[in-house]
Amino acid sequence: MTPYSKLVSMVATIGSNVPGLSKPAFDLLAGINLSGTPISGTERLLKVANGGLPSVFAVDPQLIRSGYTQVVVDVRGTGASQGVWDVFGPREQKDTLEVLEWARTRPYSNGDLGMSGYSYSAINQLQAASKHPKGLKAIFPAAPMTDIVADVVAPGSGYGAGFLALWLFAVNTTKLMPDLPSLLRGQFDPVWLRDRLQNPAVFVREFLQGLTAPSVRSLDGRTKQIVQLDSAYRRALTTDAAAVTVPTFVVGGWQDLFTNMEWRTLDQLKSVPAAQKKLIMSTGQHMTNGWDMRGVAGQPPSMSVLQRAWFDKWIKGVRNRIDEYPSATSHQQGGRWVQSNTFPRADQQHRRLYLNSRRSGTSPTSVRDGSLTGGAPTQRAKWTVAPGITTLCSGDTNRDQIGFLSSFDFCSNDNRIAERGALTFTSRPVRQATSINGPINVHLRTQVDATDGFYAAVVSDVAPDGASRVLTTGTMTVSIRNQVVPALSSYAPNGDVTDPIYALDAFNRDMVKPGATQFLDIGALGTDALLAPGHRLRVSVYAFNAPRAVSFGPVSRDSGLKPEHVLIDPAQPSWISVPSNRPIG
């Protein structure tokens, strides 16, 4: 079920399966080694085809040759389908169930179903599976999410303006392409044309309203429902993964748009037995996930190989032992592939690293250069950071723009330009290889000069040559600081919050008095990384993180986009909680 037009899927399938041409071309591209060059990130783009992403996004001829019938459907209001795009809404979810029942009862079907697809087509797999459609035996969602508001619309309570603009443009553009096969047969659908003329830019009004609305009271329609916790549409955008019972194989990425859900897969799929749920985390972005899954020594098989094995096992009953694959397979950022039965792995312990005003000497171009230390600071300080646009050149922007910027190493693989607009705090170098595996929480004592504010925290791996590579990221709106949901959040044995989950209800914001101080828990996305000997850990604090996460329209108005402050105080210290296999700093 795709919103990007089955015509695009057809072209992608044909282009990636030209006999005697496609495979040699993909092998040639995958064999190019750009390590050590200024465009080393280009390798991800060159190798992604051999990782199987095109087969999962479009149609996999290997599945067809194995006896499966693959059906690609344009969701309502997109591609060649009539109607108005419902954007994951109740009508669209009902459509998915109706299509599954239709496919199950075709003369060529034995009634056993699987669901495949990437991104949007992964999200609606989980939506459908949670409703237990008859005949559904297994799903293979690559790059899915289960909470559309928390994962992409309002990441970390910010506003995901950059990706949303790119995404809405892509869907609203491809839906204008006519059904060429029908046209070639002399057929034309006037209802399709009428629907497109009447609804040319679905959700664009809502997007602009979220960015520019002066107050929550000025919101209406679906924009209002998205930021209102108990609205019907908000509920439709949240999938109850615990209701899924069919075998589920999830592929994600540590730099993907939807990492927030992906790393939680094994916990969210509570009703699926361990042998029937698997997670693989690549180091790719949204359009490069699986670039490091090509079946060569030390790597997992490609997505297409795993998908076929998964369906063969759970739909056909083939005894291929895919159920014995470890529950979690992860490519550590800066390290190698690691397999385990849990995520995070059992050898990780959350420890505090304190923000200290003592100069580290590693970030001379940042707004202020501080340290991360194992002990609390001994001196007080008040550091100020203002909203800026240096983050336009950053690893977060490459994440937000789905990997299109991978070739530009000076931005995508080195965050020092972005850090010119940040307060940075850097640890001493580690003496031994140190694993960081799980969620990171940045606990900040802050002060704003308005009634609201917005902070971003980016955690990076700093190499001996000074290059700063983003590992994970988080953002936080000051006025929702008290919306932590304890039952969903995680805590260390000492009581420290390690993974704060917020309700994200714009109608219950807790405004602050200008000049007052407050603690914020900025939850960063779960990560898996290996700090090599001589490398350091850094947290950078911003007052903006454009375009990945900017402040919601009413928050921008209430904050006035004024400079904001981080307070360093021995009596009430700021710290980050890092899950690692040994102490850092």
Side-chain angles (χ1 to χ4, degrees):
M1 301 289 292
T2 178
Y4 304 117
S5 175
K6 59 189 177 187
L7 178 63
V8 172
S9 296
M10 181 173 67
V11 171
T13 301
I14 294 172
S16 59
N17 291 279
V18 178
L21 180 61
S22 295
K23 188 178 185 308
F26 293 154
D27 289 344
L28 176 64
L29 293 175
I32 297 174
N33 185 355
L34 296 174
S35 300
T37 72
I39 56 169
S40 62
T42 306
E43 277 197 38
R44 298 187 175 201
L45 300 169
L46 299 178
K47 291 176 167 55
V48 70
N50 272 8
L53 193 154
S55 296
V56 177
F57 173 79
V59 172
D60 186 357
Q62 292 297 330
L63 286 178
I64 311 304
R65 297 186 187 102
S66 301
Y68 296 93
T69 298
Q70 199 157 357
V71 180
V72 182
V73 180
D74 291 328
V75 301
R76 180 183 297 261
T78 71
S81 287
Q82 300 173 352
V84 181
W85 184 29
D86 195 32
V87 196
F88 297 116
R91 177 64 260 184
E92 183 175 297
Q93 293 185 42
K94 186 176 180 181
D95 288 341
T96 302
L97 299 177
E98 290 174 356
V99 168
L100 288 170
E101 178 61 20
W102 170 85
R104 190 183 68 82
T105 56
R106 294 302 89 195
Y108 48 74
S109 173
N110 66 359
D112 292 338
L113 299 173
M115 293 186 76
S116 172
Y118 195 83
S119 189
Y120 200 107
S121 305
I123 298 163
N124 54 37
Q125 289 181 56
L126 291 167
Q127 287 180 326
S130 70
K131 297 175 175 59
H132 310 119
K134 188 174 181 179
L136 186 62
K137 301 293 185 181
I139 59 175
F140 195 93
M145 59 177 167
T146 51
D147 188 337
I148 293 160
V149 173
D151 291 351
V152 69
V153 176
S157 74
Y159 187 55
F163 170 70
L164 289 176
L166 175 69
W167 178 53
L168 291 173
F169 175 80
V171 177
N172 282 309
T173 299
T174 55
K175 77 178 187 182
L176 299 177
M177 294 190 299
D179 186 354
L180 293 182
S182 294
L183 288 177
L184 293 174
R185 294 192 298 268
Q187 301 169 341
F188 181 74
D189 184 357
V191 176
W192 171 88
L193 179 60
R194 181 204 65 194
D195 291 340
R196 295 301 181 272
L197 292 175
Q198 291 179 348
N199 303 277
V202 174
F203 240 75
V204 171
R205 176 183 175 274
E206 288 85 349
F207 168 79
L208 295 174
Q209 192 177 54
L211 188 63
T212 63
S215 69
V216 173
R217 292 186 302 273
S218 68
L219 302 175
D220 59 22
R222 282 198 159 173
T223 314
K224 178 180 179 180
Q225 291 185 53
I226 286 174
V227 299
Q228 190 172 21
L229 188 61
D230 58 353
S231 72
Y233 187 53
R234 175 72 173 269
R235 289 194 297 270
L237 297 180
T238 306
T239 301
D240 182 9
V244 175
T245 57
V246 298
T248 304
F249 199 123
V250 171
V251 178
W254 292 121
Q255 293 296 322
D256 188 33
L257 278 167
F258 307 149
T259 304
N260 187 53
M261 174 269 162
E262 292 162 352
W263 79 268
R264 306 177 195 275
T265 291
L266 300 178
D267 286 336
Q268 287 198 1
L269 296 171
K270 298 181 185 300
S271 302
V272 182
Q276 298 179 21
K277 59 182 176 183
K278 309 295 177 186
L279 170 66
I280 290 188
M281 292 295 287
S282 160
T283 57
Q285 289 83 24
H286 201 58
M287 69 173 293
T288 59
N289 277 333
W291 76 277
D292 45 3
M293 296 171 55
R294 303 186 307 282
V296 300
Q299 296 184 4
S302 71
M303 280 189 266
S304 56
V305 170
L306 290 169
Q307 175 179 253
R308 180 182 171 190
W310 194 247
F311 290 151
D312 282 351
K313 168 65 181 178
W314 300 114
I315 298 179
K316 289 185 174 182
V318 176
R319 296 182 179 180
N320 56 17
R321 302 180 68 182
I322 187 68
D323 52 316
E324 298 177 22
Y325 213 74
S327 296
T329 302
S330 169
H331 192 174
Q332 292 180 302
Q333 299 180 89
R336 58 186 178 83
W337 284 94
V338 180
Q339 294 185 309
S340 59
N341 290 321
T342 62
F343 190 90
R345 292 186 290 275
D347 63 345
Q348 307 294 293
Q349 178 182 335
H350 275 274
R351 300 176 176 88
R352 287 187 183 184
L353 281 172
Y354 293 90
L355 274 61
N356 196 309
S357 60
R358 188 174 66 225
R359 186 173 178 271
S360 76
T362 62
S363 187
T365 60
S366 61
V367 176
R368 298 296 294 269
D369 169 28
S371 300
L372 285 178
T373 57
T378 57
Q379 295 182 333
R380 299 180 65 181
K382 177 180 177 179
W383 283 6
T384 301
V385 62
I389 59 171
T390 59
T391 51
L392 292 175
C393 181
S394 68
D396 268 8
T397 294
N398 194 33
R399 180 197 293 265
D400 180 77
Q401 297 300 294
I402 67 174
F404 279 126
L405 305 180
S406 294
S407 297
F408 303 103
D409 282 7
F410 65 92
C411 282
S412 63
N413 284 337
D414 191 344
N415 220 47
R416 282 179 288 185
I417 291 178
E419 289 165 1
R420 289 175 178 269
L423 309 175
T424 59
F425 302 87
T426 311
S427 76
R428 297 178 70 176
V430 298
R431 296 180 180 179
Q432 303 178 64
T434 302
S435 168
I436 297 174
N437 177 229
I440 295 176
N441 180 43
V442 181
H443 182 76
L444 288 184
R445 187 165 182 244
T446 64
Q447 183 183 53
V448 294
D449 299 328
T451 57
D452 207 347
F454 181 76
Y455 287 81
V458 175
V459 180
S460 58
D461 173 350
V462 182
D465 65 0
S468 177
R469 179 169 51 86
V470 172
L471 299 177
T472 184
T473 179
T475 52
M476 181 69 191
T477 297
V478 173
S479 59
I480 70 139
R481 67 197 180 283
N482 294 325
Q483 292 188 22
V484 175
V485 184
L488 299 178
S489 302
S490 299
Y491 300 83
N494 67 354
D496 286 352
V497 181
T498 58
D499 183 25
I501 305 296
Y502 294 90
L504 301 180
D505 188 348
F507 287 86
N508 283 290
R509 291 192 295 151
D510 187 3
M511 313 303 285
V512 296
K513 181 180 178 180
T517 63
Q518 52 280 314
F519 274 106
L520 304 181
D521 284 303
I522 307 176
L525 303 172
T527 190
D528 193 6
L530 188 70
L531 295 182
H535 284 234
R536 305 168 187 255
L537 191 70
R538 173 178 293 163
V539 60
S540 304
V541 180
Y542 303 83
F544 225 49
N545 193 6
R548 171 171 167 76
V550 297
S551 50
F552 184 47
V555 175
S556 297
R557 181 183 176 91
D558 292 334
S559 72
L561 299 180
K562 295 180 179 180
E564 301 172 343
H565 317 287
V566 172
L567 304 179
I568 298 172
D569 187 342
Q572 295 180 297
S574 297
W575 42 261
I576 67 172
S577 177
V578 182
S580 60
N581 65 340
R582 54 175 52 93
I584 299 171

